[in-house]
């Protein structure tokens, strides 16, 4: 497999979804899949990755779409950050982006729509029924849900491209 997968993270938080994604990254690397990890901010996730001996790149973006619920702010940030993310995708020959949180899914999903394949990893029950966020799901080529409950919480129109992959538990 010659494809390169990018895992972008906001970088300001560290939680179970990050640990799960890192387990996936480790598995992919063992299978000789080319993986790129991108953080937009240095924080607890950067410290954790360093402690694990996992390399990452910093693509500094101070504000990502979705950090603020203002529709104008979201559209402004989608456009403002577009070129920086597009350039990263093109320069690093990224074939697939794996989104792991709302801000990343909005920001990278929008750019990926034009330049590469995008997988939206939905880890929480979808309770935001806002019509603003529904089009964002259409940026995704596929959606992964971590359970049947999460999958069924999504709008019905998205079920055709939604697959369940349960989170791994490492003991």
């Amino acid at each position: 497999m010659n494809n390169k997968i990018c895992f972008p993270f906001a970088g300001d938080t560290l939680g179970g979804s990050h640990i799960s994604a890192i387990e996936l990254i480790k598995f992919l690397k063992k299978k000789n899949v080319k993986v790129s990890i991108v953080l937009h901010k240095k924080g607890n996730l950067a410290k954790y990755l360093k402690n694990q001996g996992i390399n990452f790149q910093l693509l500094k973006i101070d504000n990502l779409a979705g950090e603020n619920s203002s529709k104008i702010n979201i559209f402004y940030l989608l456009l403002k950050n577009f070129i920086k993310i597009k350039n990263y995708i093109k320069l690093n020959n990224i074939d697939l982006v794996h989104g792991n949180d709302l801000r990343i899914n909005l920001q990278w999903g929008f750019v990926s729509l034009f330049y590469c394949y995008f997988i939206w990893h939905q880890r929480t029950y979808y309770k935001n029924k806002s019509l603003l966020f529904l089009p964002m799901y259409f940026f995704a080529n596929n959606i992964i849900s971590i359970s049947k409950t999460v999958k069924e919480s999504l709008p019905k129109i998205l079920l055709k491209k939604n697959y369940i992959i349960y989170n791994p538990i490492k003991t």
Side-chain angles (χ1 to χ4, degrees):
M1 179 176 184
N2 292 331
N3 295 338
K4 189 169 187 181
I5 303 173
C6 179
F7 286 81
F9 298 100
D12 56 352
T13 60
L14 172 63
S17 65
H18 300 95
I19 304 301
S20 175
I22 291 164
E23 290 302 313
L24 174 59
I25 290 166
K26 289 177 181 177
F27 173 80
L28 292 170
K29 284 183 172 185
K30 284 181 185 175
K31 299 292 183 185
N32 295 318
V33 175
K34 295 176 191 170
V35 175
S36 170
I37 300 172
V38 176
L39 303 184
H40 294 300
K41 297 174 185 162
K42 282 192 175 179
N44 288 333
L45 181 55
K47 291 175 193 169
Y48 181 81
L49 291 170
K50 283 181 184 177
N51 288 341
Q52 294 290 310
I54 299 172
N55 295 326
F56 63 89
Q57 295 175 310
L58 183 65
L59 180 65
K60 192 157 175 41
I61 295 180
D62 293 324
N63 297 301
L64 295 165
E67 290 179 357
N68 174 321
S69 62
S70 159
K71 293 173 185 155
I72 292 170
N73 183 266
I74 289 170
F75 289 120
Y76 167 72
L77 291 171
L78 284 174
L79 297 175
K80 178 185 178 214
N81 299 325
F82 187 93
I83 297 296
K84 193 174 229 182
I85 293 171
K86 175 201 80 136
N87 289 343
Y88 181 87
I89 289 171
K90 304 278 282 169
L91 288 171
N92 291 281
N93 299 312
I94 302 299
D95 299 296
L96 185 148
V97 171
H98 176 277
N100 198 49
D101 106 344
L102 176 63
R103 297 169 293 173
I104 295 300
N105 292 343
L106 289 170
Q107 194 70 69
W108 282 74
F110 179 61
V111 179
S112 296
L113 181 64
F114 304 99
Y115 296 100
C116 63
Y117 199 87
F118 183 76
I119 293 178
W120 184 306
H121 204 143
Q122 184 67 26
R123 297 177 181 280
T124 59
Y125 186 83
Y126 180 75
K127 57 185 173 250
N128 185 347
K129 304 301 182 189
S130 166
L131 292 178
L132 173 67
F133 291 101
L134 184 58
M136 304 309 174
Y137 278 96
F138 292 100
F139 296 161
N141 297 92
N142 288 107
I143 302 167
I144 297 171
S145 294
I146 63 161
S147 71
K148 185 176 179 184
T149 301
V150 169
K151 179 179 179 175
E152 290 175 353
S153 74
L154 295 171
K156 301 268 184 258
I157 194 167
L158 301 174
L159 295 180
K160 291 178 186 169
K161 61 179 172 181
N162 193 315
Y163 303 90
I164 299 172
I165 300 177
Y166 298 99
N167 277 342
I169 296 174
K170 185 177 178 186
T171 58

